[in-house]
Every structure is written in C-alpha cells, then in structure tokens.
Amino acid sequence: MWKSGKRAIHYLHNLNAAAANVPASLIENGQKRVIDASLTLIRERAKLKGELVRALGGAVASTSLLGVPLGHNSSFLQGPAFAPPRIREAIWCGSTNSTTEVGKELNDPRVLTDVGDVPVQEIRDCGIDDDRLMAIISDSVKLVMEEDPLRPLVLGGDHSISFPVVRAVSEKLGGPVDILHLDAHPDIYHCFEGNKYSHASSFARIMEGGYARRLLQVGIRSITKEGRDQGNKFGVEQYEMRTFSRDRHALENLKLGDGVKGVYISLDIDCLDPAFAPGVSHIEPGGLSFRDVLNIIHNLQGDVVGADVVEFNPQRDTVDGMTAMVAAKLVRELTSKISK
C-alpha cells in the first residue's frame, strides 16, 4: 500500500480529539484559503519579476529561483528542508563576485531573479496531504513559467520535489523533456518504504507520467537490483562512477533536447564526492569532482528550460558552510546555462 509522507506531523492532526466536532467544511475552506494565498504570493512575485525583465528587454530566457523547502519525504534525514535560505545566503555572501565563470552578471535581473519559497511547512500544518502539496508545487512552477521569459531554477529540498517540478515544466511546454540527472543514487524505486513520493522514487513517477523522453543518470554509485531493473524498464541511461573514466568524454560532450521541449537538469548535491560536499544526508564516497560536474554542465549542448538543486543538508555542513558555497556555485553556473 502506498503511503505519502509517513513521517509527517501535521498540527491539525494533533488536534483530532479537539476538532472532532468541527465541520469538515470549515477545515476545507481554511485549507483552500491557505493554498490560494500561497499561490497568490508566487503569482504576484513572478508577475513583478517578469514585468521587470520584459521592461529591460533583451532576454530570451531568464532564470528565476523558486525555493521548495521540503524534507519530509527523505528516507533518512530531513535537513534539506532548511537548504533554500542557506543557498541564497551563500550566493550573495560577498566572499566572491557576482559574475559566473562564463561571464553572466547575476546582479542583472535579466539573468537572475527570485520569486521566493513555496510555504511548504505552513501548507502541511493545515493538514494538506502530499497529493495536494505536489499539485501546489507544480502550480507554483507553472506560475513562474507563465511570465515569459522566466524559467525555473528550483532550490530543494529533498529530491521528491523533482517530480512535481518536471511534471509542471513538461505540462506547461506541452511535451516531454530530456533530463540530465546528476546523483549518487538513481532515485527510481517504485515506491520506497511505501511512500510513492519518496525522494528515492521521484524518477519513477516522472517516467511513469511520460514527462521525459531520455533520462541520463550520471554519478551513480549506490544502486540496487531494483534500481537497475527500473532503469531497464524505463530505458534509463545510467552512467555509474565505476566506469566514469571510460564515459568521461561522452558525458562532457552531451547533446540533448532535439525533438523534445528542451533539457531539464536535476542536480543532487551528493553526486559530488563528499570531499567536495560533506553537507548531504547520504554520504557516498567515490563521486564526481566539482570540476567534473561543471564540465558536464558547461559543455552540454541543448536548451535548458529548467533545473533543480536538491539534497543539500545544512545540518551536516561544515562550520564554515563549505557545502552551501558549493550549492551556490552550482546555482550560479546553472543560471548561466539557462539565461540567454
């Protein structure tokens, strides 16, 4: 049996006894108001940023950050829920300049804007289940995309957020995308620990939904028989670290997105060797170097229509915030790939 967010603790659920005589319509109407308010905030912020970018002119595509501070679908630690503000802080901390490696200026709103966070905890505290929460995340992404030329770069959060984000991108563009997925794990279990929205099952939901034509998984070094079987079932191209030296040339010269609606990049911080990024929930030695990842991203040929950076866990980071800076640098370089 599928269970959603089995570790979730909702404020209203703790008041079952007190709320036993409360009309269901009262709760439902209250939940609807919270959902409407959440989407209104994203809509209005995206509208403002879109109007600004269009008024300035000259942007074909412009990256817009959207935070999704969700951690309850993690199978181990839930610290990724605290990541979005730490990543933003690192982006603008002042220890480095605001220019990306390829010369994009982050202070230019035509390159990067920010529409804030989906208020995940506030929504869940109203007793809203994961089916509706995932729909709210998808709707939030679509609101960003409605404001042409904005394109979403989503800050997680655990990897469960990739499903509603990719779903939204695919539905909004009217067809499947090609996905470049960098991760230590394939995250393609059918239903990990009974949770269909587990961070370990996000790409099973994506492939079942037909939201991706090609799925390339790079950096894999923790994979079970089910992970391989599911990969074969969905025709996933899995590149394991044990063969990276052989695969390097091909991975650093990828061409994706022809014949579909574009390319989506999903970047789990644990794709990196923990020497470069210790602040993750699942420490898995033997991963990619930081420059390996940047080479793959920089050299990718294709129209990047959206991306996410997930699974940074600030609760496991070093005192000086090393992994936060790594995540921020990845966001900066992904911005360079999206904005044009």
Side-chain angles (χ1 to χ4, degrees):
M1 178 181 178
W2 280 1
K3 296 173 283 185
S4 178
K6 69 175 186 178
R7 297 182 181 179
I9 300 175
H10 300 318
Y11 176 69
L12 285 178
H13 290 178
N14 293 332
L15 298 179
N16 282 339
N21 297 319
V22 174
S25 59
L26 186 151
I27 302 298
E28 292 167 0
N29 288 336
Q31 291 174 339
K32 183 178 184 301
R33 290 196 301 272
V34 170
I35 293 171
D36 289 345
S38 301
L39 293 174
T40 296
L41 182 59
I42 299 296
R43 178 186 297 108
E44 294 305 317
R45 292 193 65 168
K47 184 176 181 180
L48 173 61
K49 304 304 170 69
E51 288 172 343
L52 174 61
V53 172
R54 291 191 294 273
L56 291 169
V60 176
S62 175
T63 304
S64 193
L65 300 181
L66 172 67
V68 183
L70 185 157
H72 64 275
N73 283 320
S74 174
S75 59
F76 182 40
L77 302 175
Q78 300 185 14
F82 303 105
R86 300 287 77 81
I87 297 174
R88 288 188 177 98
E89 180 182 21
I91 292 171
W92 304 111
C93 73
S95 72
T96 184
N97 62 53
S98 60
T99 306
T100 70
E101 289 195 4
V102 299
K104 295 291 179 67
E105 177 52 62
L106 298 182
N107 283 323
D108 185 342
R110 291 170 295 186
V111 175
L112 180 65
T113 56
D114 192 336
V115 300
D117 290 351
V118 177
V120 172
Q121 192 55 53
E122 291 79 0
I123 291 169
R124 296 183 69 238
D125 280 347
C126 295
I128 292 168
D129 63 21
D130 263 12
D131 287 332
R132 286 191 290 172
L133 176 59
M134 293 297 168
I136 293 165
I137 295 169
S138 291
D139 288 344
S140 298
V141 172
K142 290 178 181 178
L143 289 172
V144 173
M145 296 179 70
E146 283 177 6
E147 296 298 328
D148 187 63
L150 300 188
R151 294 184 177 184
L153 201 174
V154 180
L155 308 179
D158 68 44
H159 221 149
S160 68
I161 72 166
S162 293
F163 163 58
V165 176
V166 171
R167 175 175 65 183
V169 170
S170 174
E171 289 179 348
K172 191 66 180 174
L173 295 177
V177 294
D178 285 344
I179 299 177
L180 173 60
H181 170 206
L182 297 111
D183 202 328
H185 318 87
D187 292 349
I188 202 165
Y189 284 99
H190 173 62
C191 184
F192 191 71
E193 294 184 338
N195 179 8
K196 68 179 178 179
Y197 293 126
S198 169
H199 69 158
S201 297
S202 50
F203 287 91
R205 303 290 83 79
I206 288 168
M207 299 308 287
E208 287 171 354
Y211 303 120
R213 178 188 64 176
R214 293 179 67 187
L215 171 58
L216 284 72
Q217 299 185 319
V218 180
I220 304 298
R221 57 195 186 276
S222 179
I223 183 170
T224 64
K225 181 179 183 299
E226 182 179 352
R228 290 194 174 92
D229 289 345
Q230 286 279 91
N232 290 332
K233 173 183 175 181
F234 293 117
V236 179
E237 300 163 58
Q238 295 176 329
Y239 293 91
E240 299 185 37
M241 284 306 300
R242 62 191 175 87
T243 60
F244 182 71
S245 59
R246 182 190 69 198
D247 300 329
R248 178 190 293 274
H249 179 75
L251 294 173
E252 291 184 349
N253 293 277
L254 291 172
K255 185 175 182 181
L256 300 173
D258 287 349
V260 289
K261 297 300 181 178
V263 182
Y264 185 92
I265 300 175
S266 183
L267 203 159
D268 186 320
I269 296 296
D270 71 25
C271 73
L272 291 160
D273 189 272
F276 299 93
V280 295
S281 299
H282 299 269
I283 294 172
E284 194 66 45
L288 296 162
S289 75
F290 189 81
R291 187 51 57 180
D292 290 334
V293 173
L294 284 195
N295 286 344
I296 292 169
I297 293 171
H298 284 161
N299 296 336
L300 170 66
Q301 298 180 58
D303 182 22
V304 180
V305 294
D308 62 60
V309 175
V310 297
E311 295 288 353
F312 164 44
N313 184 346
Q315 295 177 329
R316 303 197 86 182
D317 202 1
T318 56
V319 174
D320 59 356
M322 182 174 115
T323 313
M325 292 301 294
V326 167
K329 174 87 169 185
L330 291 169
V331 168
R332 292 157 66 96
E333 298 309 312
L334 283 168
T335 295
S336 290
K337 203 68 186 177
I338 296 170
S339 297
K340 55 188 177 183

